[in-house]
């Protein structure tokens, strides 16, 4: 259990687990927009607040500018000294109010760049040569936000609309007779931003917690069906269940489960066929042993049996031993053929010569049954095959054609080839195979007529061995038959190993 936890933890840390990846993706997808949103909103607010403040202050200053003009503040040449002083005080008070309101400083500069009024009272009477002021006299309105030092600087022209604009002047509706240079503090904006930022941080942290919770939940939910599949497979492996598993979840997990069930089914088929094979083998090997025992027992029972009887029984025992031997030899051949890794011992073989040789070897058996054997070759065929296995294939087919033939029947062997394959066909005029038995004739120990096959020395393994050998050559074997008329076995095998290799490679 601890090892499992440790393994899972390592998988999580190394990001190899799906859970960890889903968690991380959701976390990033939730957290990154949150952070961007916070900074984006705050930045936007600051920009808008500064713009608004500049516009408000500029408007108010423009109004004061108009007052300045109407009261001839800049020239201070009003005939009525008393009136002038009174209106100057009013304007000064207005300027004070503005500078107090916005925690700033207002400088009024006349056309000779002399500071007429400084709300701080420091620079009055001094000449100011500042780029902003000069540009403002040319008609440019300037505002500048110094974020680092926390102030906004702006210039507002004092326009005398009673005079005509000078030639080339930027102002079209009057003459710029002075400039108000103002710097105001942005503390209020900063304060608001701090409050906003604090709220945004709280909101952002709440979002973080929420996103983390969602990410954990999703990671668990998404990976749950996969865990279920794993534990279902583990249960099968541990032997608790051997039926097909079912894990309803996503279509992907359903596909995995389907594929696993198919594999399970195939394994079950293999297991069944292995069990059937073992029981068939035991049965087949037991039959001759039982016969031998019965023969030996009956000899022993008759203590003074005549020598002829002994001889006869002994002959029977020998033939049963031969049969046992044949079964074992065939079984060994089959097992060897089943080892897929076994390499074919491929050489270039003249199939015509090989067929002639096999027919010559089998002729005595055919003669015994008075079966005529014919060989027809369409063309000389040379192929890259394993000669021993090829001999086995041909011998089994021709031998069967003779064994399951009628008296005075015939066996016809045909050989043909195209540019890729050669075909070896064995037809006979024999007993034929019933249609329902056709798909089974190549199965191990399958015999259409058990007793007849046994009588003529069959083991039921010949065609299984033949089929294995053909498949090893990447060939195919087909059979057609009509009961009581005869059968046709056709084997198709590639001429060269290059065809073999390409197909094996697939
Ligand atoms: P066996 O050792 O019994 O001959 P095989 O595997 O060679 O086993 O053949 C399986 C069965 O197929 C045989 O028992 C026989 O019934 C049938 N069979 C095979 N070849 C022929 C054939 N040429 N004509 C009729 N039946 C055949």
């Amino acid at each position: 259990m601890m090892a499992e936890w440790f393994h899972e933890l390592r998988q999580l840390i190394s990001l190899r687990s799906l859970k960890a990846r889903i968690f991380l993706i959701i976390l990033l997808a939730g957290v990154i927009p949150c952070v961007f949103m916070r900074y984006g909103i705050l930045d936007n607010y600051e920009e808008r607040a500064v713009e608004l403040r500049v516009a408000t202050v500029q408007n108010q200053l423009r109004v004061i500018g108009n007052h300045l003009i109407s009261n001839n503040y800049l020239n201070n040449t009003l005939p009525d000294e008393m009136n002038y002083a009174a209106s100057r005080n009013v304007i000064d008070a207005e300027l004070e109010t503005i500078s107090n309101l916005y925690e700033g400083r207002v400088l009024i500069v006349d056309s000779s760049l002399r500071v007429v009024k400084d709300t701080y009272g420091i620079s009055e009477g001094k000449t100011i040569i500042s780029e902003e002021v000069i540009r403002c006299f040319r008609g440019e309105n300037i505002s500048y936000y110094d974020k680092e030092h926390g102030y906004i600087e702006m210039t507002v022209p004092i326009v005398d609309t009673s005079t005509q604009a000078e030639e080339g002047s930027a102002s079209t509706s009057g003459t710029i007779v002075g400039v108000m240079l103002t710097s105001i503090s942005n503390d209020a904006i900063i304060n608001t931003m701090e409050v906003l930022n604090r709220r945004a941080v709280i909101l952002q942290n709440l979002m973080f917690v929420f996103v983390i919770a969602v990410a954990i939940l999703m990671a668990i939910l998404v990976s749950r069906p996969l865990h279920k599949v794993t534990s279902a497979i583990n249960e099968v492996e541990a032997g608790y269940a051997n039926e097909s598993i079912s894990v309803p979840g996503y279509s992907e997990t359903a596909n995995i489960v389907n594929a696993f069930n198919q594999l399970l089914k195939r394994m079950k088929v293999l297991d069944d066929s292995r069990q059937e094979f073992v029981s068939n083998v035991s049965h087949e090997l037991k039959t001759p042993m039982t016969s031998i025992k019965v023969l030996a027992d009956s000899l022993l029972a008759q203590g003074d049996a005549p020598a002829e009887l002994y001889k006869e029984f002994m002959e029977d025992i020998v033939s049963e031993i031969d049969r046992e031997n044949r079964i074992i030899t065939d079984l060994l051949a089959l097992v060897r053929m089943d080892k897929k890794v076994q390499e074919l011992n491929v050489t270039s073989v003249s199939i015509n010569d090989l067929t002639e040789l096999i027919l010559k070897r089998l002729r005595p058996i055919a003669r015994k049954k008075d079966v005529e054997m014919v060989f027809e070759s369409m063309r000389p065929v040379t192929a890259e095959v394993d000669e021993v296995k090829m001999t086995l294939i041909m011998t089994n087919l021709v031998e069967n054609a003779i064994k399951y033939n009628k008296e005075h029947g015939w066996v016809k062997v045909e050989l043909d080839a195209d540019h890729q394959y050669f075909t070896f066909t064995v037809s006979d005029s024999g007993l034929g195979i019933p249609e329902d038995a056709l798909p089974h004739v190549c199965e191990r120990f399958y015999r259409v007529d058990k007793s007849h096959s046994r009588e003529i020395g069959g083991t039921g393994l010949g065609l299984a061995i033949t089929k294995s050998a053909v498949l090893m050559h990447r060939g195919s074997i087909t059979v057609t038959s009509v009961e009581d008329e005869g059968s046709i076995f056709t084997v198709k095998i590639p001429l060269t190993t290059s065809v073999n290799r390409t197909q094996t490679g697939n």
Side-chain angles (χ1 to χ4, degrees):
M1 192 68 186
M2 276 297 282
E4 241 172 63
W5 272 89
F6 188 62
H7 176 70
E8 189 143 327
L9 195 71
R10 271 182 56 183
Q11 298 263 311
L12 279 174
I13 293 169
S14 64
L15 280 188
R16 285 185 60 202
S17 101
L18 180 68
K19 234 189 242 175
R21 287 186 190 187
I22 289 172
F23 174 78
L24 202 73
I25 290 169
I26 296 179
L27 190 72
L28 292 179
V31 163
I32 292 175
C34 259
V35 175
F36 272 108
M37 219 153 77
R38 181 183 140 204
Y39 285 108
I41 288 174
L42 285 179
D43 263 7
N44 216 311
Y45 166 77
E46 190 177 16
E47 207 174 287
R48 283 284 304 140
V50 169
E51 265 174 30
L52 209 70
R53 180 152 283 224
V54 167
T56 317
V57 174
Q58 276 180 338
N59 270 341
Q60 290 180 354
L61 287 176
R62 239 175 242 124
V63 172
I64 295 176
N66 290 340
H67 285 181
L68 293 178
I69 292 295
S70 58
N71 291 301
N72 221 350
Y73 188 94
L74 294 175
N75 294 335
N76 80 30
T77 53
L78 263 187
D80 182 349
E81 281 287 331
M82 279 291 285
N83 248 346
Y84 173 73
S87 50
R88 189 183 168 98
N89 283 343
V90 172
I91 290 167
D92 283 348
E94 279 176 7
L95 288 171
E96 282 303 325
T97 315
I98 287 232
S99 53
N100 286 338
L101 195 63
Y102 296 110
E103 297 169 59
R105 178 183 185 185
V106 184
L107 293 180
I108 296 178
V109 183
D110 68 9
S111 53
S112 58
L113 301 181
R114 193 173 58 86
V115 178
V116 179
K117 170 76 185 169
D118 176 1
T119 51
Y120 279 14
I122 305 166
S123 306
E124 271 166 23
K126 290 182 186 165
T127 304
I128 185 164
I129 302 172
S130 122
E131 192 197 333
E132 287 82 19
V133 174
I134 294 166
R135 276 167 64 188
C136 187
F137 271 114
R138 288 200 197 123
E140 277 177 58
N141 258 4
I142 287 165
S143 71
Y144 165 73
Y145 175 40
D146 188 335
K147 202 171 180 172
E148 203 179 320
H149 298 102
Y151 69 89
I152 308 164
E153 196 175 76
M154 69 195 92
T155 56
V156 178
I158 305 166
V159 183
D160 185 357
T161 45
S162 60
T163 56
Q164 265 308 313
E166 277 172 32
E167 194 79 13
S169 160
S171 168
T172 47
S173 55
T175 317
I176 298 171
V177 291
V179 166
M180 279 185 269
L181 179 65
T182 315
S183 56
I184 54 168
S185 149
N186 71 340
D187 280 356
I189 296 173
I190 295 290
N191 287 344
T192 318
M193 275 189 54
E194 267 168 16
V195 173
L196 272 180
N197 191 32
R198 265 201 298 279
R199 286 190 189 165
V201 168
I202 294 172
L203 212 67
Q204 181 186 287
N205 289 345
L206 283 177
M207 277 298 284
F208 279 3
V209 174
F210 176 71
V211 167
I212 288 172
V214 169
I216 292 175
L217 201 73
M218 285 306 285
I220 292 172
L221 282 182
V222 168
S223 58
R224 186 175 286 168
L226 292 174
H227 283 298
K228 277 192 192 162
V229 171
T230 315
S231 47
I233 291 176
N234 282 342
E235 269 178 26
V236 172
E237 198 214 346
Y240 301 138
N242 54 5
E243 293 304 312
S244 58
I245 59 170
S246 147
V247 182
Y250 313 121
S251 57
E252 286 83 357
T253 48
N255 287 345
I256 296 175
V257 168
N258 271 349
F260 179 75
N261 282 340
Q262 294 295 332
L263 181 73
L264 212 63
K265 228 185 259 172
R266 173 140 177 70
M267 276 165 59
K268 200 163 157 33
V269 168
L270 283 179
D271 195 44
D272 287 353
S273 95
R274 191 177 51 90
Q275 275 181 12
E276 195 191 315
F277 180 59
V278 171
S279 81
N280 281 344
V281 167
S282 327
H283 178 77
E284 293 298 326
L285 290 178
K286 247 184 110 180
T287 317
M289 296 294 259
T290 317
S291 305
I292 292 169
K293 183 159 168 44
V294 169
L295 288 166
D297 276 350
S298 52
L299 271 185
L300 281 176
Q302 323 177 8
D304 51 351
E308 293 82 47
L309 195 71
Y310 262 102
K311 196 167 177 274
E312 194 192 323
F313 274 36
M314 274 308 179
E315 274 167 5
D316 287 348
I317 289 176
V318 167
S319 90
E320 287 301 327
I321 291 173
D322 281 347
R323 205 172 123 60
E324 184 95 28
N325 237 339
R326 262 198 314 276
I327 296 173
I328 291 171
T329 315
D330 277 0
L331 273 174
L332 284 177
L334 194 66
V335 169
R336 248 180 259 130
M337 217 74 83
D338 268 357
K339 283 190 193 159
K340 295 270 162 23
V341 279
Q342 187 194 0
E343 284 286 312
L344 283 175
N345 184 14
V346 174
T347 49
S348 186
V349 178
S350 162
I351 305 296
N352 294 64
D353 291 351
L354 189 65
T355 316
E356 301 269 15
L357 187 75
I358 287 162
L359 292 186
K360 194 176 155 202
R361 264 193 225 150
L362 294 176
R363 203 145 266 141
I365 317 175
R367 213 171 283 137
K368 245 192 230 167
K369 268 191 106 173
D370 193 21
V371 170
E372 188 193 355
M373 286 209 292
V374 192
F375 174 42
E376 258 178 36
S377 170
M378 303 301 157
R379 67 200 78 237
V381 178
T382 307
E384 288 173 19
V385 288
D386 183 317
E387 193 171 351
V388 176
K389 292 197 175 65
M390 204 58 227
T391 310
L392 209 64
I393 295 170
M394 292 172 164
T395 311
N396 273 343
L397 291 181
V398 178
E399 206 178 344
N400 275 354
I402 300 167
K403 276 195 311 190
Y404 300 103
N405 218 317
K406 296 169 187 158
E407 291 275 324
H408 321 299
W410 52 262
V411 173
K412 189 170 165 192
V413 178
E414 284 161 286
L415 187 63
D416 196 3
D418 57 20
H419 63 289
Q420 259 194 317
Y421 296 90
F422 73 88
T423 359
F424 178 81
T425 312
V426 182
S427 340
D428 64 62
S429 61
L431 310 171
I433 303 164
E435 210 180 326
D436 56 334
L438 276 176
H440 306 289
V441 284
C442 290
E443 284 171 14
R444 293 173 292 199
F445 295 116
Y446 184 84
R447 280 161 291 196
V448 176
D449 181 345
K450 262 196 170 72
S451 56
H452 176 67
S453 163
R454 231 176 247 143
E455 245 170 58
I456 54 178
T459 60
L461 291 171
L463 284 180
I465 295 171
T466 307
K467 191 177 175 185
S468 288
V470 169
L471 292 182
M472 279 183 83
H473 282 88
R474 298 277 153 185
S476 63
I477 178 165
T478 48
V479 51
T480 53
S481 183
V482 178
E483 234 183 320
D484 285 329
E485 279 186 25
S487 317
I488 305 170
F489 284 82
T490 309
V491 169
K492 197 174 169 188
I493 286 181
L495 284 171
T496 58
T497 44
S498 64
V499 178
N500 274 338
R501 274 195 206 109
T502 37
Q503 291 185 351
T504 316
N506 284 340

